[in-house]
């Protein structure tokens, strides 16, 4: 049997889990999957075909067509696509199709870092490491505003904050696979922590697990 190593990272939008996932995948030479892009790809397909987001059978068809090798971050990263993604993400049948693909990805040697909302709880409950990355809504809204401004855009802080709070409510409040830390997740609050510090803290947790495993 080939062994794989899985790092599950969950947390709300804008907590810094994407950057952390990338750094960890580079450092430990693991595959990387931003599972948010899979939900975004489904929402984007519906938007492209001018279909309503509550058309569950169209969403299921789009989910079956998602190709993990062809997720285009540039196209899918629009704020409106993220908002739409959180609406189709409430449908259990759509989730099941995407989760199946995500699990296959995780099983591919040498293993992977997956980030999302339900990785430690549903997609990879046996992950070697589980991290729950969070930050206050205020800090996440400030980061998002800075990100938009850094590429020459303009946005309104109050509106961004309201969006974040609404998305949190939808992701944490849904019946199927709500966003929550797995019981055995390590919590990382990045409210007052730069990404480098979060990376170092995550590395300490992972290296500790690896050291214990090597001794066993
Ligand atoms: O992380 P990102 O903002 O790209 O995710 C978009 C939306 O997709 C989330 O707000 C959430 O509703 C959904 N999602 C999910 N489960 C995941 C990843 C994302 O429900 N594992």
């Amino acid at each position: 049997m080939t062994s794989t190593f899985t790092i599950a990272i969950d947390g709300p939008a804008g907590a810094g889990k994407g950057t952390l996932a990338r750094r960890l995948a580079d450092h430990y030479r693991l595959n990387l999957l931003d599972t948010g892009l899979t939900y975004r790809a489904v929402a984007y397909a519906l938007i492209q075909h001018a279909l309503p987001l509550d058309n569950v059978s169209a969403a299921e068809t789009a989910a079956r067509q998602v190709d993990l090798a062809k997720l285009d971050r540039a196209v899918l990263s629009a704020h409106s696509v993220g908002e739409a993604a959180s609406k189709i993400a409430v449908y259990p049948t759509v989730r099941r199709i995407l989760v199946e693909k995500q699990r296959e990805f995780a099983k591919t040697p040498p293993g992977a870092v997956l980030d999302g909302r339900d990785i430690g709880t549903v997609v990879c409950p046996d992950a070697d490491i589980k991290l729950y990355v969070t930050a206050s809504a205020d800090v996440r809204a400030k980061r998002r505003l800075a990100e938009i401004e850094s590429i020459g855009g303009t946005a309104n802080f109050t509106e961004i904050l309201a969006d974040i709070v609404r998305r949190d409510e939808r992701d944490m409040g849904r019946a199927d696979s709500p966003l929550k830390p797995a019981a055995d997740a390590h919590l990382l609050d990045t409210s007052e922590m730069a990404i480098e510090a979060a990376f170092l803290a995550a590395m300490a947790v992972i290296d500790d697990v690896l050291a214990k495993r090597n001794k066993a």
Side-chain angles (χ1 to χ4, degrees), residues 17 35-36 39-40 82 85-86 89 95 116-118 167 171 174:
K17 59 187 187 319
T35 62
Y39 291 89
R40 286 171 179 261
S86 73
R95 299 197 69 84
R117 304 291 189 287
D118 60 343
R167 181 100 76 90
D171 287 347
R174 69 179 171 228

Side-chain angles (χ1 to χ4, degrees), residues 183-207:
D184 51 350
H186 299 270
L187 303 188
L188 265 182
D189 188 330
T190 67
S191 300
E192 309 211 355
M193 207 189 256
I195 183 61
E196 190 58 27
F199 173 60
L200 293 176
M203 248 174 61
V205 169
I206 297 166
D207 289 345

Side-chain angles (χ1 to χ4, degrees), residues 152-181:
T154 50
N156 175 294
F157 176 78
T158 316
E159 277 171 24
I160 294 179
L161 182 60
D163 270 6
I164 280 186
V165 170
R166 197 169 53 237
R167 181 100 76 90
D168 284 357
E169 280 169 3
R170 201 175 288 141
D171 287 347
M172 293 175 184
R174 69 179 171 228
D176 187 349
S177 318
L179 169 63
K180 63 173 180 197

Side-chain angles (χ1 to χ4, degrees), residues 10-14 17 34-40 76 81-90 95 102 115-119 123 144 167 170-171 174 177:
D10 291 302
K17 59 187 187 319
D34 171 355
T35 62
L37 291 179
T38 64
Y39 291 89
R40 286 171 179 261
L76 301 174
V81 179
E83 182 75 13
S86 73
K87 293 183 181 161
I88 60 91
V90 302
R95 299 197 69 84
Q102 294 160 10
D115 77 274
R117 304 291 189 287
D118 60 343
I119 309 303
V123 181
R144 169 113 343 139
R167 181 100 76 90
R170 201 175 288 141
D171 287 347
R174 69 179 171 228
S177 318

